[in-house]
């Protein structure tokens, strides 16, 4: 990344359903530090789950389709704010940042065949965001539509269904530094994006 280790920010698809996505994107667009947005699959991923029941395809196929759902959300997010651009690779992410844009990650081309990620519903955009942070050498923030206690472990968050089942395993394996924020933490997130309180 040419010395740049951007902050990876996973934007939960549930923020759209909670009516918080617009405000969140406005806040992210004002970032004074390099960031990469990882979109959740949102309603597009829900459609994959529904279709899997209706027309019967394997979890491995569903995994790839769910990544395409993230790419659909990326396209929608980019359409909402100026200065955002879909990025498919480390090079494209780096180019966006160098050009003063905010990359929104489309994961399929980059990690569609990544053997460190389970090709089933145990891994969602949460775990994919950890993998991206590992590849970029950055830290990770998860933005969720619900507030969570700040002392919960990855294992407890997975048990509560706040993050996916693979998340504790992949953060343990990668050693990626991560934080999770809900609606009550917008001021803290804004401070991080302004370059304050980076630890």
């Amino acid at each position: 990344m040419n010395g740049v280790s951007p902050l990876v920010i996973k934007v939960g698809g549930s923020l759209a359903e909670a009516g918080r996505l617009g405000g969140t994107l406005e806040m992210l667009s004002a970032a004074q530090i390099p960031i990469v947005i990882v979109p959740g699959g949102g309603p597009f991923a829900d459609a994959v789950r529904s279709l899997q029941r209706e027309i019967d395809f394997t979890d491995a196929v569903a995994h790839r389709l769910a990544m395409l759902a993230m790419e659909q959300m990326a396209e929608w997010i980019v359409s909402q704010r100026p200065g955002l651009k879909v990025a498919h690779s480390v090079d494209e992410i780096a180019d966006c940042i160098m050009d003063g844009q905010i990359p929104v990650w489309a994961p399929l081309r980059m990690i569609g065949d990544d053997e460190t990620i389970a090709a089933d519903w145990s891994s969602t955009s949460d775990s994919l965001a950890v993998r991206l942070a590992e590849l970029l050498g950055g830290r990770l923030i998860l933005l969720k539509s619900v507030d969570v206690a700040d002392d919960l472990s990855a294992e407890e968050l997975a048990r509560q269904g706040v993050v996916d089942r693979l998340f504790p395993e992949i953060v343990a394996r990668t050693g990626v530094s991560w934080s999770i924020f809900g609606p009550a933490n917008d001021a803290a997130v804004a401070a991080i994006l302004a370059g304050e309180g980076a630890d």
Side-chain angles (χ1 to χ4, degrees), residues 7 9-12 15 20-35 37 77 80-82 84 102 141-144 181-195:
L7 176 63
I9 301 181
K10 155 67 196 309
V11 177
L15 292 176
R20 298 189 66 247
L21 192 51
T24 298
L25 294 178
E26 183 177 359
M27 179 171 62
L28 296 179
S29 294
Q32 299 299 303
I33 60 172
I35 66 171
I37 296 173
I77 286 171
Q80 300 302 298
R81 301 286 306 181
L84 307 182
I102 296 175
I141 285 179
L142 303 167
L143 299 183
K144 296 287 185 174
F181 295 105
N185 304 118
D186 281 354
V189 175
I192 292 170
L193 295 172

Side-chain angles (χ1 to χ4, degrees), residues 120-143:
D120 57 35
W121 289 110
S122 67
S123 62
T124 67
S125 50
D126 293 333
S127 287
L128 301 188
V130 182
R131 180 64 173 140
L132 180 63
E134 179 189 20
L135 293 169
L136 298 180
R139 54 186 285 255
L140 171 66
I141 285 179
L142 303 167
L143 299 183

Side-chain angles (χ1 to χ4, degrees), residues 140-191:
L140 171 66
I141 285 179
L142 303 167
L143 299 183
K144 296 287 185 174
S145 60
V146 295
D147 288 314
V148 295
D150 57 12
D151 58 348
L152 294 183
S153 67
E155 289 78 13
E156 182 57 33
L157 290 168
R159 275 194 292 273
Q160 293 183 12
V162 178
V163 297
D164 65 50
R165 285 180 287 143
L166 185 66
F167 186 83
E169 177 185 323
I170 192 169
V171 293
R173 178 184 66 74
T174 61
V176 165
S177 173
W178 62 277
S179 307
I180 187 166
F181 295 105
N185 304 118
D186 281 354
V189 175

